[in-house]
Amino acid sequence: MTAPRGGLPIARLLQAAWIRPVLFLVLLVVLWDLAIRVFHIPPYQVPAPKDVIATLATEWPTLLAEAWPTTVATLWGFLLSAAFGIPVAMLIAGSRTVESYVYPLLVFSQSIPKIAIAPLFVVWFGFGMLPKVLSAFLLGFFPVVVSAVAGFKSVEPDMLDLARAMEASRWQLFRMVILPYATPAIFAGLKVSITLAVVGAVVGEFVGSNSGIGFVLQRSIGTFELPTMFAALVILALIGVLLFWLLDVIERWTIPWHASQRYDLVLGA
C-alpha cells in the first residue's frame, strides 16, 4: 500500500533541519501570547508578540541600519580574538613555562566584569568604533584560548612519535598532525567567541555610542518603548545566529572528515 502523494513532501519538509527551530520558535511565540492573555500582563511590562512584529515591520529599515555598526564591531572583535587567541594558545600548549606564567593571568582576567572596563575604553579612545571592538575582543578572546589549548594538547603522542620517526620537519609535524587534531576544538572555541563578541559589542554601545543595537536598546529602555526594545533584541539574536551559521559552514568546509560533521552516526546506549 503506497502512501498518499501529498503526505511525502510534508514529511520531507518536517525532516528538514531548518524547520524544527522555526516550529519551536512559533511554539514559544504562541506560549508568550497565551501567557500575556492568561496572566493579564500589562504592556508596559511585557509587550504582546503582535506589537513586536508590528514594530519590526515599521522600524525594519532603522533597525537594519543600526544593526550594521554592531555587526562590524562584532566581526572585528571576533577576528582579533582569533588572531591573538590561537597563537597565544600555541605558546601555552607548547611551553610549560609560558603556561605557568600566562594561563593563570588569563583565568584571573575573566573575573573582572567587562562592563566595568568598557567605560575606560571610552575615556581612552573616545566614542568611536574602537571601544566597541575592544569590548567584543575581550569577551571573545578567552574561549578561543581555552579551546585551542585543549585542542593542541589533545594530539596523540603515538602520532607525534610516528611523524618524528618518518623524519617530518617541525612545520610538517604541525601542519599534518597537530593542526588537524586541534582544529575541531579551535572551531568550538570560535563558535563560543562569535556569540560572546556580539554581547561585547552591545556592552560597548551601552557605555558610549550614538549608534548600534545597543544604543537602540538603551534609548528604548529609557523611554519605556518595550516593543522597540524587544524588536532590537530580535535583530540582535538574528545577528548572532547568522554569524554562528556562517562559522558552522566554514567549519564544514574545513574539516569535513571529522566525526562531528557526520550526520549519519547512530548513538546508542
Side-chain angles (χ1 to χ4, degrees):
M1 183 176 180
T2 60
R5 292 186 178 180
L8 187 58
I10 296 177
R12 290 180 178 176
L13 181 63
L14 292 177
Q15 291 299 322
W18 62 271
I19 197 66
R20 296 174 183 176
V22 171
L23 292 176
F24 185 67
L25 181 61
V26 171
L27 176 62
L28 291 179
V29 173
V30 171
L31 293 176
W32 173 11
D33 187 71
L34 287 176
I36 291 176
R37 296 176 184 273
V38 171
F39 297 105
H40 303 288
I41 302 176
Y44 60 83
Q45 289 185 347
V46 179
K50 62 181 180 62
D51 296 331
V52 177
I53 295 174
T55 302
L56 280 171
T58 56
E59 301 292 335
W60 178 256
T62 302
L63 292 173
L64 194 61
E66 296 292 349
W68 179 247
T70 304
T71 306
V72 172
T74 299
L75 287 175
W76 276 112
F78 168 73
L79 292 176
L80 287 176
S81 299
F84 285 93
I86 296 175
V88 169
M90 292 171 58
L91 292 175
I92 292 175
S95 172
R96 291 186 179 275
T97 303
V98 175
E99 181 179 9
S100 63
Y101 278 99
V102 176
Y103 210 51
L105 293 179
L106 288 176
V107 176
F108 172 77
S109 66
Q110 294 308 297
S111 63
I112 303 175
K114 304 304 180 292
I115 190 66
I117 303 177
L120 293 176
F121 293 154
V122 176
V123 174
W124 293 338
F125 305 110
F127 290 88
M129 179 65 69
L130 187 57
K132 296 186 288 185
V133 172
L134 292 177
S135 297
F137 164 73
L138 284 181
L139 263 74
F141 177 73
F142 188 70
V144 175
V145 174
V146 172
S147 299
V149 167
F152 287 126
K153 286 186 174 182
S154 66
V155 183
E156 293 290 340
D158 294 339
M159 293 295 297
L160 295 175
D161 294 337
L162 178 61
R164 294 191 183 101
M166 298 177 67
E167 299 183 352
S169 63
R170 287 189 175 183
W171 168 245
Q172 291 174 329
L173 187 67
F174 175 78
R175 181 172 61 89
M176 298 181 179
V177 180
I178 298 177
L179 187 59
Y181 264 90
T183 300
I186 292 174
F187 270 106
L190 292 176
K191 287 180 177 179
V192 178
S193 175
I194 194 68
T195 55
L196 291 179
V198 177
V199 178
V202 174
V203 168
E205 292 171 348
F206 271 154
V207 174
S209 179
N210 56 3
S211 63
I213 296 297
F215 172 72
V216 175
L217 288 171
Q218 190 179 38
R219 183 183 59 188
S220 59
I221 292 173
T223 57
F224 289 95
E225 298 176 2
L226 292 188
T228 303
M229 186 191 73
F230 274 70
L233 290 175
V234 171
I235 298 297
L236 195 62
L238 289 176
I239 293 173
V241 169
L242 179 60
L243 294 178
F244 186 92
W245 175 77
L246 289 175
L247 194 58
D248 187 65
V249 171
I250 295 173
E251 181 185 13
R252 294 181 190 178
W253 288 345
T254 306
I255 51 171
W257 45 265
H258 193 255
S260 62
Q261 308 304 320
R262 301 172 192 166
Y263 295 99
D264 57 344
L265 292 178
V266 179
L267 299 179

